[in-house]
């Protein structure tokens, strides 16, 4: 099936009946898990305010995806998470270094090493330094909390648009575990297992191992050694968690994890035949490719694109109960993340076949290593007092270093006559073919210190005030040294040296204030104002110039939110709603320009933007055997006032929709458990829809991603106690083809398409066996 008609589906989604259905089958933010003892919803505890609370008591719009939902999807990562959380979107690129998270239409698209994300990713209490670190496989997850709107008071400067808080499963009290194996079409295999090892009453551990391998689903038809299947992977990971209770008042949690991936991913597909003045020549070089828009699954290139990662981390959390029931928490962590991209930049398999830069070979190699140390120390009141509070300090230091080399082969002249394509062909004997490269060694150091406090004032049993403050100091420095190309005029490389150094030190006061009111035992209303903050940045990238040496101002946000959280029908149903209006100043965004015919990017303070909308989350358990979840989000995220330097022509019009910000997103899921006697049959369904969106500012028609929907189904045969489960999985059952991202600058001006695995229908089998006390 081809792409869906956005206008038709958008109109349907806007009808009262469709809204009612989606809202009634909704739950991107489930607040309760299933309780096998009856058809009610079990309370879910979250740590969105860094203290354990019932989600229905938290005055923040929070979506929660529990571990069982993640397990049911087979492989689970940020791409799968966006299917379940309508307010969340991602930017999928050829390498995890450039990928980004978006909430409520706001995120940071940048290729600069001295800039940071707008959406924080937090793993077991540790803030990750880059959004790209969150794009690995998520496994053995207890829950994922997606906090919408500025969350800087408790989660720091990288949370001006929100935070994604990932919580791993903790060790069990008895010896046990599970092993799970899955096989999917195109020879995709996944294996994972976990083992709980309680050594004593005061020491217990949980170790989880995962492995996966996949051939790929894009075919490189080139006869060169680079030909074959692409967009596959080879991955492994291990995480071990140990919890010790040396005394009644002290608990220590040690977490160590390691993962490695070697992916021939993520290739950019050219979906339409090149059509410029050089179109005939380019088409001749790409002969054999079946251009079918978003259905294209072939490329013809002489370089195998790769994305390689290796990461590990250690953390130690100490929770100490003090006098008066207060808890002192310390989290000390050290993490490394090494990522390398090998990129095809000309999308052809013949180097310099014709005269001119449009036919030049352009290949990139770029490893990056990142090291982060962080320390958080906080104290929390016991709860139930007139003022319930959390207060603490936070320190982190990140060192990021990158080497980037671009190699170019171009034909500058030929004595051969113009051929049927209208361009002079090149051969080594009859042409001038030049080879050159340019490289850059650059990096950035981020040092961050913060003091924070957040509390709830309990005026009476039903009325509370919310207030939080965070003082942040940023110390940012960078360096950039370029080895220039010895030949001028070649695409995407410069002939000047750099030797730049710079830095900036600044501080900021952010926070939130609000009220919440219990209208009844089952209805909580709240209204909040939050001041968001993302630190200053420098546009430090491969082709950096003197014009990029100025510091980019910090991005700030003023966000207003009102919401309601309700528990209905004696605990059988939850319905949560939020309306928001946020304005961002000095928004950090990418602009695009060309260097000798090759598209490059530059990070700027784009100006003022707004994000406003409405969200509904729903979860219901009408009977013991039926669960229904879903959510819908309407988001209007756009440019209010685009910054244009004096004397320049505006490049982006005011009112432009922000990139990767669909107005409508919705999801619903349902499962039912049929009693077959000694076994149960469990069918489930996940439906996801999003309306049209744009990959870039200014809503260029060529970079419009049409709206689409997907339907995932599974059919499981399980024992009564779920000790054994065999599941048939079907992804994208209607074979809905779509692109996750469109980028300008392909051959002859054709856009480059990122096609995800789930843009095609495929099936698989999973088997899981639980053993021991698990």
């Amino acid at each position: 099936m081809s792409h869906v008609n956005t206008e038709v589906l958008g109109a349907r989604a806007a009808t009262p009946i469709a809204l009612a259905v989606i809202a009634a089958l909704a739950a991107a933010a489930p607040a309760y898990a299933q309780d096998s003892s009856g058809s009610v919803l079990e309370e879910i505890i979250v740590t969105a305010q860094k203290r354990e609370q019932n989600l229905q008591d938290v005055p923040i719009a929070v979506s929660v995806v529990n571990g069982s939902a993640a397990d049911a999807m087979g492989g689970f990562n940020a791409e799968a998470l966006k299917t379940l959380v309508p307010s969340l979107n991602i930017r999928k690129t050829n390498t995890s270094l450039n990928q980004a998270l978006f909430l409520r239409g706001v995120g940071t698209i940048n290729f600069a090493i001295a800039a940071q994300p707008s959406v924080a990713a937090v793993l077991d209490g540790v803030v990750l330094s880059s959004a790209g670190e969150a794009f690995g496989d998520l496994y053995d997850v207890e829950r994922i909390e997606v906090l919408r709107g500025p969350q800087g008071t408790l989660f720091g400067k990288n949370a001006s648009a929100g935070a994604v808080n990932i919580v791993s499963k903790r060790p069990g009290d008895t010896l046990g575990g599970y092993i799970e194996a899955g096989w999917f079409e195109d020879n995709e295999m996944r294996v994972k297992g976990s083992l709980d090892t309680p050594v004593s009453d005061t020491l217990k551990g949980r170790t989880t191992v995962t492995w996966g391998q996949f051939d790929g689903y894009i075919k490189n038809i080139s006869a060169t050694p680079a030909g074959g299947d692409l967009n596959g992977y080879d991955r492994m990971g291990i995480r071990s968690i140990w919890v010790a209770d040396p005394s009644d008042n002290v608990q220590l949690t040690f977490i160590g994890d390691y993962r490695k991936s070697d992916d021939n991913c993520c290739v950019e597909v050219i979906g339409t035949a090149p059509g410029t003045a050089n179109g005939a020549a380019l088409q001749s070089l790409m002969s054999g490719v079946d251009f079918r828009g978003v259905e294209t699954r072939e490329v013809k290139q002489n370089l195998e694109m790769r994305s390689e990662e290796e990461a590990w981390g250690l953390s130690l959390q100490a929770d100490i109960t003090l006098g008066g029931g207060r808890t002192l928490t310390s989290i000390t962590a050290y993490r490394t993340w090494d990522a390398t991209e090998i990129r095809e930049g000309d999308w052809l398999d013949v180097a310099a076949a014709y005269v001119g830069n449009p036919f030049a070979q352009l290949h990139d190699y770029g490893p990056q290593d990142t090291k982060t140390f962080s320390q958080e120390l906080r104290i929390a009141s016991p709860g139930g007092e007139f003022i319930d509070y959390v207060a603490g300090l936070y320190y982190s230091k990140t060192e990021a270093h990158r080497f980037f080399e671009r190699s170019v082969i171009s034909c500058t002249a030929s004595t051969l006559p113009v051929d049927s394509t209208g361009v002079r062909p090149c051969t080594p004997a009859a042409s001038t073919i030049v080879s050159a490269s340019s490289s850059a060694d650059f990096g950035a150091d981020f040092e961050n210190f913060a003091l924070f406090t957040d509390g709830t004032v309990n005026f009476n049993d039903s009325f509370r005030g919310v207030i939080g403050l965070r003082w942040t100091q940023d110390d940012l420095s960078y360096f950039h040294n370029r080895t220039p190309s010895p030949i001028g005029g070649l695409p995407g490389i410069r002939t000047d040296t750099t030797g730049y150094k710079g830095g900036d030190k600044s501080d900021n006061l952010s926070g939130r204030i609000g009220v919440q009111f219990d209208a009844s035992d089952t209805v909580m209303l709240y209204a909040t104002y939050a001041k968001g903050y993302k630190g200053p940045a420098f546009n430090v990238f491969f082709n950096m110039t003197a014009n990029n040496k100025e510091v980019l101002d910090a991005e700030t946000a003023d966000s207003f939110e009102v919401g309601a959280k309700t528990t209905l029908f004696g605990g059988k149903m939850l319905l949560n709603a939020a309306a928001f209006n946020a304005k961002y100043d000095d928004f950090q965004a990418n602009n695009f320009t060309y260097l000798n015919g090759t598209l490059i990017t530059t990070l700027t303070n784009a100006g003022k933007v707004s994000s406003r909308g409405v969200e509904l989350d729903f979860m219901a358990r009408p009977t013991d055997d039926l669960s229904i979840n879903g959510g819908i989000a309407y988001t209007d995220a756009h440019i209010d006032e685009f910054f244009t330097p004096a004397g320049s022509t505006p490049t982006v019009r005011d009112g432009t929709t922000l990139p990767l910000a669909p107005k409508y997103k919705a999801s619903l899921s349902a499962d039912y458990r049929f009693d077959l006697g000694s076994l149960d049959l469990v069918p489930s369904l996940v439906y996801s829809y999003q309306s049209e969106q744009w990959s870039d500012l200014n809503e260029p028609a060529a970079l419009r991603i049409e709206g689409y929907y997907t339907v995932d189904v599974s059919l499981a045969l399980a024992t009564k106690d779920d000790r054994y489960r065999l599941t048939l999985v079907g992804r994208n059952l209607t074979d809905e083809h779509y692109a996750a991202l469109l980028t300008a600058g392909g051959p002859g001006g054709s856009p480059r398409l990122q096609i995800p695995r789930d843009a095609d229908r495929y099936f698989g089998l999973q088997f899981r066996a639980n053993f021991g006390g698990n």
Side-chain angles (χ1 to χ4, degrees), residues 131-151:
E133 293 183 66
F135 278 79
D137 290 335
L138 302 175
Y139 55 92
D140 210 37
V141 170
E142 177 66 33
R143 69 182 182 274
I144 302 172
E145 304 170 7
V146 180
L147 289 64
R148 286 110 66 180
Q151 303 297 327

Side-chain angles (χ1 to χ4, degrees), residues 82 89 662 664-666 688-693 707-709:
K82 80 178 183 69
N89 208 355
Y664 294 98
K665 279 195 70 183
S688 177
Y689 164 74
Q690 68 178 43
S691 61
E692 67 179 6
Q693 58 182 322
Y708 62 90
Y709 69 91

Side-chain angles (χ1 to χ4, degrees), residues 421-673:
T421 66
V423 186
R424 290 182 183 275
C426 294
T427 63
S431 310
T432 303
I433 298 177
V434 297
S435 300
S437 66
S438 173
S439 64
D441 186 76
F442 52 98
D445 288 351
F446 303 85
E447 196 165 13
N448 176 258
F449 177 74
L451 301 172
F452 63 88
T453 184
D454 189 81
T456 301
V457 182
N458 300 291
F459 295 111
N460 56 44
D461 290 343
S462 60
F463 183 67
R464 296 173 291 282
V466 179
I467 188 169
L469 288 173
R470 188 182 189 98
W471 176 78
T472 301
Q473 184 179 78
D474 282 312
D475 191 352
L476 171 62
S477 62
Y478 77 89
F479 69 91
H480 188 283
N481 298 299
R482 180 165 51 241
T483 301
S485 166
I487 302 172
L490 296 181
I493 55 176
R494 303 186 63 86
T495 57
D496 54 335
T497 58
T498 50
Y500 301 145
K501 290 183 179 180
D504 181 78
K505 192 170 185 177
S506 60
D507 56 63
N508 174 267
L509 184 66
S510 58
R512 64 171 182 154
I513 190 169
V515 294
Q516 62 180 120
F517 174 68
D518 294 334
S520 70
D521 291 342
T522 59
V523 178
M524 187 272 282
L525 308 176
Y526 69 90
T528 58
Y529 162 77
K531 184 75 173 180
Y533 168 74
K534 188 177 80 168
F538 287 95
N539 189 25
V540 181
F541 69 116
F542 170 55
N543 277 311
M544 183 182 184
T545 70
N547 294 332
N548 305 126
K549 292 169 63 176
E550 293 297 321
V551 64
L552 276 71
D553 293 334
E555 178 182 295
T556 59
D558 294 283
S559 177
F560 296 87
E561 180 173 310
V562 295
K565 298 193 174 185
T566 63
T567 304
L568 306 174
F569 306 116
K572 292 179 181 289
M573 183 180 297
L574 298 176
L575 178 63
N576 297 338
F580 59 92
N581 189 347
K583 293 186 178 295
Y584 291 78
D585 198 12
D586 289 319
F587 183 65
Q588 296 174 6
N590 257 353
N591 265 339
F592 293 90
T593 185
Y594 283 86
L595 175 60
N596 298 327
T598 295
L599 186 73
I600 62 172
T601 62
T602 179
L603 187 67
T604 64
N605 283 123
K608 302 178 185 295
V609 307
S610 291
S611 173
R612 59 193 178 199
V614 179
E615 301 157 335
L616 291 174
D617 299 320
F618 181 89
M619 183 176 190
R621 193 175 183 198
T623 71
D624 290 349
D625 299 316
L626 175 63
S627 297
I628 308 172
N629 314 299
I632 185 170
Y634 167 78
T635 305
D636 177 15
H638 61 268
I639 297 284
D640 288 330
E641 182 181 342
F642 190 80
F643 172 73
T644 303
S648 301
T649 302
T651 56
V652 177
R653 62 176 177 80
D654 296 344
T656 295
T657 300
L658 291 181
L660 302 174
K663 283 193 181 296
Y664 294 98
K665 279 195 70 183
S667 71
L668 68 87
S669 61
D671 64 73
Y672 191 86
R673 198 171 185 108

